[in-house]
Amino acid sequence: MKPSLIKEVRVSGGAFIIELQGEFTKDAEQPLMSLRDWKQGLGENVRVLIFDFQQVSSISSRGITLLMRIACWGAEGNYQAFGHGVAEHYQKLFRLLGLTQFMMIYPDEYSILQRVEGVAD
């Protein structure tokens, strides 16, 4: 049996953080969509969604499409999506496909939280 895509979900400092592992494919849709109604937001005082890709081995086109949908729903749900730990070749693909217009990529979680705190101040 292959491990679950979602390794851990936590809320920290106003951010909803999803640690991922394995292959991010069409099989990611059910686990991610069952976490919450993304169009409704992330909860009270939570305005940042962070995807941790450090342990993701591959991302398919269907996985990228799913990320795009969730990130785009951020406008409706009043949150901003971020990602970190994304392999360089996937970063290039995200830029090429326009995903980075909706989900900013940073080197690590700390950098994202620092940026968010800076904007809030």
Side-chain angles (χ1 to χ4, degrees):
M1 183 158 96
K2 72 181 181 183
S4 170
L5 171 74
I6 299 172
K7 181 179 177 185
E8 183 180 356
V9 175
R10 58 191 162 88
V11 176
S12 175
F16 188 86
I17 302 163
I18 304 172
E19 290 183 29
L20 304 165
Q21 65 183 0
E23 298 177 348
F24 197 102
T25 65
K26 64 180 175 71
D27 296 333
E29 185 163 6
Q30 192 280 326
L32 284 174
M33 297 310 257
S34 67
L35 285 176
R36 63 185 323 100
D37 181 350
W38 297 105
K39 293 178 185 178
Q40 296 300 312
L42 304 174
E44 193 173 330
N45 299 321
V46 181
R47 300 288 175 252
V48 175
L49 172 61
I50 300 174
F51 288 102
D52 178 346
F53 291 96
Q54 291 179 93
Q55 296 180 32
V56 172
S57 57
S58 65
I59 307 172
S60 73
S61 60
R62 296 266 307 265
I64 292 172
T65 301
L66 177 60
L67 286 171
M68 182 83 79
R69 285 189 359 229
I70 292 172
C72 286
W73 287 333
E76 213 171 313
N78 196 27
Y79 62 87
Q80 173 65 54
F82 296 85
H84 74 89
V86 181
E88 190 173 325
H89 63 280
Y90 287 117
Q91 288 183 38
K92 289 177 185 175
L93 187 58
F94 287 6
R95 281 193 299 274
L96 180 69
L97 297 174
L99 177 57
T100 53
Q101 293 178 34
F102 306 100
M103 183 174 81
M104 292 183 258
I105 305 298
Y106 279 75
D108 53 45
E109 184 177 314
Y110 178 79
S111 299
I112 296 168
L113 295 175
Q114 289 296 99
R115 186 231 183 243
V116 172
E117 285 177 17
V119 170
D121 291 345

